[in-house]
Amino acid sequence: MDFEIVEATKEDAKDILALTKICGKETNYLSYGSEGIGLSLEQEMAFLDNVAHSLKDVFYVVKMKDEIVGMGSYITFSSPRMSHRGEIGLCIRQSAWHLGIGHALMDRLLDFAKNQAKADLVSLEVCHDNRRAISLYQHYGFQKIGTFEGFFKIDDKLIDYDIMLLKLEKSS
């Protein structure tokens, strides 16, 4: 199946909120469950509008036949002392797994981080047993730099997350 990756607009907000509920229901590896991210439509629209006007942040959606099936973001830390780095987040619904979307999103996000945001470092958090995601991140050179014990609490169980880091090489 073919897919396209485009920058999200505030008009995508409703579909993005719906996708977070789907993805949250399909996996426990996200920071939210079936309730989604907990933002109102207006809050999500404002967030997307802010990102669209940023030179250092990006939010992509993956569309298949005009349906959003995945999303990925690169968000730069706002503090001047931390603005040399940012964080990546991905979400792809199960029906769109194994189609190369994760790799395509990572290509776009890392290109943006390096060439647009001019980042030195990119970080992310991943559940310690999410082997498929860890393999994807390692493919791009991310390395585990530590474990955050009890990062999530799901059904009264503490879940550990690994913190991974990628040092971006500067172009000559």
Side-chain angles (χ1 to χ4, degrees):
M1 290 188 163
D2 291 331
F3 60 87
E4 67 173 333
I5 300 174
V6 297
E7 286 191 43
T9 66
K10 62 183 178 181
E11 288 76 23
D12 294 317
K14 182 178 178 184
D15 293 335
I16 289 170
L17 290 173
L19 180 63
T20 65
K21 291 179 180 182
I22 292 167
C23 290
K25 194 180 307 180
E26 292 177 339
T27 181
N28 277 334
Y29 292 141
L30 300 171
S31 61
Y32 48 84
S34 60
E35 74 283 356
I37 58 173
L39 295 179
S40 70
L41 180 60
E42 293 76 21
Q43 290 170 319
E44 183 67 9
M45 288 175 74
F47 167 77
L48 292 170
D49 194 46
N50 284 337
V51 170
H53 289 94
S54 170
L55 298 176
K56 293 199 164 232
D57 302 330
V58 72
F59 195 108
Y60 293 120
V61 291
V62 182
K63 294 185 178 185
M64 294 176 69
K65 299 180 182 177
D66 294 324
E67 178 187 4
I68 296 177
V69 298
M71 56 194 171
S73 63
Y74 173 82
I75 305 296
T76 301
F77 289 93
S78 59
S79 165
R81 292 184 177 189
M82 296 171 63
S83 63
H84 64 287
R85 62 189 181 100
E87 196 164 64
I88 283 182
L90 298 176
C91 167
I92 303 165
R93 67 178 300 167
Q94 278 185 1
S95 63
W97 288 1
H98 309 292
L99 300 176
I101 292 172
H103 283 278
L105 270 172
M106 288 297 290
D107 287 340
R108 293 284 297 272
L109 291 166
L110 292 175
D111 180 70
F112 179 90
K114 181 177 182 178
N115 297 308
Q116 176 69 33
K118 305 294 186 200
D120 296 320
L121 305 169
V122 178
S123 63
L124 54 84
E125 296 91 23
V126 59
C127 188
H128 69 97
D129 67 354
N130 189 347
R131 298 193 198 314
R132 289 186 37 221
I134 291 169
S135 177
L136 172 69
Y137 304 142
Q138 287 175 334
H139 172 82
Y140 286 92
F142 281 85
Q143 296 182 346
K144 176 181 169 180
I145 60 167
T147 299
F148 191 125
E149 295 180 16
F151 190 76
F152 285 166
K153 188 173 187 178
I154 302 173
D155 298 326
D156 281 333
K157 182 179 178 193
L158 295 175
I159 311 293
D160 297 344
Y161 264 59
D162 292 337
I163 301 164
M164 298 187 80
L165 180 70
L166 175 65
K167 295 178 183 178
L168 296 175
E169 294 181 22
K170 294 296 180 189
S171 302
S172 312

